[in-house]
Amino acid sequence: MSMIYLDYNATTPVLPEAQAATADALARAWGNPSSAHAAGRAAAEVLTTARGQIASAVGVPTDTVTFVSGATEAINHAVHAAGPGRVLVSAVEHPAVLEATRLRPGRKLELLPVDGWGQVDVAEVLSRVDAGPAALVAIMAANNETGVLNPVDELVEPLRERGVLFLVDAVQMAGKLPVTARPDYLVLAAHKLGGPKGIGALITRPGAKVPALIAGGGQERGVRGGTEPIPAIAGFGAAMAVVEATRDAEAVRLAELRDRLQVGLLAALPGAEAVGAKAPRLPNTLCMLLPSGAQGAAMVTACDAEGVAISAGSACHAGEIRASRVLRQMGYTPDEAVRAVRISLGPATTAAHIDLVLELIPRLVA
Ligand code: PLP
């Protein structure tokens, strides 16, 4: 498949190191890690290595890392663990957080407003928390549509002092920038950082109680039952090790490419706007409103026909274009929000890819 892939925030190609680790585990570590024989030990060793790779990349103790099926499951664990009560959630949070909260009995969802960049305000969050007892606050470290960062590090201590549990979705930040916040619950997904799908991690504060959401055979310290998917876990650990080793250099390289793309598109497309560009952002993400008259979803289709994969800030449900909820919460009108495209870069992105997009998108708009 020859394609220029610029949709890394949706998912990533599996890194060769992760493919190799997964293939090796499939061939060699097929045992049940709970078994007390050589085949079991081989699998347990892979599990231990991968857990160590995740823990050391984030800088947390290994026994705080619980392997789960992905970010959505990790988020459901946290919402379950927090118990009933008010759940304060940033207005730009991933649907996994909103829906997990809506589904679980006794959770009362309240949206925390964001500004025009899509960021929560620390004082505003705390004043809402102080308005009454709260079970959980959930704020993403970086937004998947805009790349805009939230001040989650600043909220850890004040929320802890108030006895309110804090969930940070670090799915988009991990592997792109250092994840330094130490909330009660931290969420990672392998497939956003070069690992396979179907595996992620819930990182809990040391000593935090995590009642089992998926009860079973006591795996993962009783937090998450089910025989561990060793091949996926091996790929996750290997991918994490690679992206951590290359993270700082990649952040500089990708920010340069992204900024060149942003400047070039703004120059070529009068009336276009770079969303969240004045806020701190992930180095790899550009969310751009095309000039009026153009539509994000149509641009995605047109780019696809030319072999370039990008994404729209809108979703198409049964033929009807719906404006991005995230951009709407940031104050954009529906007409503006349907003009959004998201271009997200990664390890395989080159300057030649950016040059090609700088020629392609203005041509397609015209
Ligand atoms: N959180 C964020 C910020 C995401 O971007 C995603 C994936 O789109 C998720 C959570 C959910 O991840 P998954 O579908 O892999 O469980």
Side-chain angles (χ1 to χ4, degrees):
M1 183 172 32
S2 149
M3 166 187 34
I4 295 177
Y5 187 76
L6 296 169
D7 199 13
Y8 279 81
N9 288 12
T11 196
T12 58
V14 181
L15 290 165
E17 294 84 348
Q19 292 184 34
T22 295
D24 179 63
L26 282 166
R28 203 181 49 74
W30 42 263
N32 186 325
S34 301
S35 298
H37 47 57
R41 279 193 299 279
E45 209 171 284
V46 173
L47 183 59
T48 302
T49 300
R51 201 186 306 281
Q53 286 168 318
I54 306 301
S56 88
V58 185
V60 294
T62 51
D63 64 357
T64 65
V65 176
T66 303
F67 287 116
V68 296
S69 68
T72 299
E73 186 190 319
I75 288 164
N76 275 268
H77 276 279
V79 173
H80 174 68
R86 292 166 70 219
V87 177
L88 294 95
V89 168
S90 97
V92 295
E93 217 64 12
H94 190 273
V97 178
L98 302 171
E99 296 311 315
T101 304
R102 283 202 185 102
L103 182 77
R104 227 144 265 290
R107 274 63 172 176
K108 201 172 153 291
L109 179 70
E110 284 179 37
L111 290 187
L112 296 164
V114 295
D115 62 17
W117 312 126
Q119 290 180 301
V120 297
D121 176 73
V122 170
E124 166 82 18
V125 171
L126 295 177
S127 91
R128 300 238 174 184
V129 168
D130 290 339
L136 181 69
V137 170
I139 300 172
M140 65 203 329
N143 184 267
N144 44 307
E145 290 186 33
T146 63
V148 169
L149 311 185
N150 263 309
V152 290
D153 292 66
E154 289 169 53
L155 280 160
V156 169
E157 272 320 303
L159 289 174
R160 194 178 194 189
E161 282 163 14
R162 286 162 169 82
V164 177
L165 293 168
F166 189 21
L167 162 62
V168 173
D169 173 346
V171 163
Q172 293 291 346
M173 180 179 265
K176 297 175 186 143
L177 292 174
V179 176
T180 49
R182 295 290 172 264
D184 301 277
Y185 309 109
L186 191 64
V187 170
L188 308 178
H191 78 95
K192 306 284 189 182
L193 49 82
K197 287 162 191 66
I199 190 72
L202 175 69
I203 296 175
T204 47
R205 192 194 277 282
K209 280 215 181 70
V210 197
L213 171 65
I214 298 187
Q219 291 89 351
E220 295 297 282
R221 305 177 317 284
V223 172
R224 206 283 185 176
T227 301
E228 301 87 341
I230 299 298
I233 289 171
F236 184 11
M240 190 60 135
V242 172
V243 294
E244 278 304 299
T246 54
R247 187 191 63 213
D248 294 350
E250 273 296 274
V252 172
R253 189 183 76 86
L254 293 178
E256 271 172 21
L257 291 177
R258 188 270 316 273
D259 290 346
R260 191 149 73 74
L261 182 62
Q262 177 176 313
V263 169
L265 286 178
L266 288 174
L269 299 170
E273 178 182 337
V275 175
K278 297 216 169 88
R281 266 183 306 171
L282 293 175
N284 79 316
T285 308
L286 175 61
C287 178
M288 177 79 72
L289 296 193
L290 299 171
S292 62
Q295 253 191 10
M299 180 55 69
V300 170
T301 306
C303 282
D304 182 44
E306 305 256 357
V308 175
I310 63 168
S311 129
S314 55
C316 187
H317 296 274
E320 170 209 355
I321 308 280
R322 278 198 212 150
S324 148
R325 174 182 53 84
V326 168
L327 296 192
R328 295 283 291 116
Q329 290 289 345
M330 291 166 67
Y332 289 98
T333 65
D335 282 353
E336 288 167 333
V338 296
R339 285 159 37 202
V341 290
R342 177 187 69 190
I343 305 172
S344 48
L345 287 48
T349 308
T350 65
H353 296 162
I354 299 305
D355 289 339
L356 193 139
V357 173
L358 280 171
E359 182 278 324
L360 177 65
I361 290 184
R363 171 158 60 82
L364 293 173
V365 168

